[in-house]
Amino acid sequence: MKIIISGAYAIGCHLARLLSREHEDIVVMDTDEERFSHIGSDVDILTMEASSTSIEALKNAGAEKADLFIAVTPDESKNMNSCVLAKALGTKKTVAKIDNAEYIAPDLQEFFSQLGVSKLIYPEMLAATDINNGLKMSWVRQRWDVHGGALVMLGVKLRETCTILDRPMREICGPDDPYHIVAIKRAGETIIPGGNDCLQMYDLAYFMTTKQYIPYIRKIVGKEHYVDVKNVMIMGGGATAVRTVKTMPSYMDVKIIETDEQRCERLNALLEDEKALIINGDGRDLSLLIEEGIKNTQAFVALTGNAETNILACLTAKRMGVRKTVAMVENIDYVSMAESLDIGTIINKKSIAASHIYQMMLDANVHNVRFLMTANADVAEFIPSEGSKVTQKPVKDLGLPVGMTIGGLVRDGVGLLVSGNTMIQPGDSVMVFCHHSSTNLKITNLQRCSTRLRCRLCPYLPKWNAMAYVSIPRHLPKQANTLSSACTNSRLRYLTLQAI
């Protein structure tokens, strides 16, 4: 796949590093050569010092035959103009990063598509959605709604009050139970649980369930004593904070602490119609936090541009009695450390944006992709085609590879949990959970699926149709009939399934 990235800034560099591991043909364009150094010297990409609004530069970059053009510079107008030009030159799909909430209105999507912008990415809005999902349920670390809540995935930190600890999965998670535990994060390790695995104290467990059983999940994990969030304190008054407040439920009261006086004035103007109190001060000042009532606050959200400050602020809030803390951590290397410190929900705009951009690389059967940074795993929503092998056998007979599980499905708008006897039907929206890292997956495991494989992000495997997620080992046998060469990439592969 030919991919052009315009803008060697945070998101552009992150995408370049991510996609280069998948052996894609990538060109990164930027007007400042020094910014290319942020990508790293070990990344196999082509860099071009040029403006993406230059037709000649776009032609030189290969826009006429490109599959995907991604514009992620800080300049919204430049991003949209370069997408329009790239599309006109022949690029199949284009993505533009924006910072104007007006543009993401659903009724404008067709308008921008006709202009030549296939998809708009607003990282601050995506982050705000994740933050508010977490605030609505103070006892949950991470929440993801599928089809408007027909299925819900909940990431919950287990404490001593959990009633299902130290019992095998076959006893607590059977066909008649209204939930499916799809993954466990334990001491830095991700586990896709089997029937003999047990939950332990301090595990981060991911539950797939339906909306009506959320109170039941809350009861069995022992979180009924967690009070609902009504008072929120936000440290940092940037764009993410603004979008979070504007989309926050009306029953929540919020205070924003911002150090810059001029920014405070701007926030007052932007949030004039919202129930937000703007405070000019330093969120690291303990006396200020106490004065503003942090001990009566149910949630503390740290959204400054400094990851270390956000992490430390959340730790401080925890020690002062705040149950729910959210930290924006833009440095990917700090995510695992932040999780080990038990600070709460972690927000990374680069990863969120990458999840949405990845969907542009997948075929039409994949409708949703989600990276779970803290669990080192991916969740995807895919729709099997008519005649696909996955629709011809019960789930228990599909021979799913190690490190992969099906969490649930949505059929005719109704969320259903999956058991071994479940038959997947064409048109179902199926939720697949898969571990990132390599496993000792053998070729025989692949053959048991009675399918042919193609790695969508690697050229070495033949083609499929309907999407699934599987972990692939670093080296596969050269003698495998479906492989023309050994695959040397250890990242998660996006695979498609096609009836033979």
Side-chain angles (χ1 to χ4, degrees), residues 21-23 188-192 375-378 401-404 434-442 445-446 455 469-476 487-495:
R21 300 170 188 170
E22 318 303 342
H23 301 284
E189 179 186 1
T190 299
I191 301 168
I192 304 296
N376 192 30
D378 286 335
V402 175
M404 174 182 174
C434 184
H435 191 265
H436 264 175
S437 59
S438 300
T439 63
N440 294 322
L441 181 62
K442 305 297 183 184
N445 288 10
L446 300 179
C455 176
Y469 279 59
V470 185
S471 294
I472 299 294
R474 187 170 180 79
H475 297 287
L476 292 177
C487 181
T488 59
N489 195 305
S490 62
R491 283 189 53 78
L492 175 71
R493 305 300 188 188
Y494 297 81
L495 304 177

Side-chain angles (χ1 to χ4, degrees), residues 232-249:
V232 182
M233 189 174 290
I234 298 178
M235 185 174 103
T240 304
V242 172
R243 300 318 313 170
T244 299
V245 173
K246 281 186 171 292
T247 55
M248 189 173 285

Side-chain angles (χ1 to χ4, degrees), residues 356-420:
H356 287 260
I357 292 173
Y358 255 130
Q359 293 177 45
M360 302 291 291
M361 302 175 58
L362 307 177
D363 76 30
N365 292 320
V366 178
H367 284 230
N368 222 337
V369 181
R370 181 66 170 223
F371 299 133
L372 303 177
M373 294 179 300
T374 54
N376 192 30
D378 286 335
V379 189
E381 174 190 356
F382 77 95
I383 300 178
S385 304
E386 186 75 38
S388 171
K389 285 288 184 181
V390 297
T391 65
Q392 299 176 16
K393 297 179 182 179
V395 169
K396 65 183 179 182
D397 297 329
L398 291 179
L400 298 178
V402 175
M404 174 182 174
T405 186
I406 298 176
L409 58 86
V410 178
R411 180 178 298 159
D412 298 326
V414 179
L416 303 172
L417 297 176
V418 171
S419 67

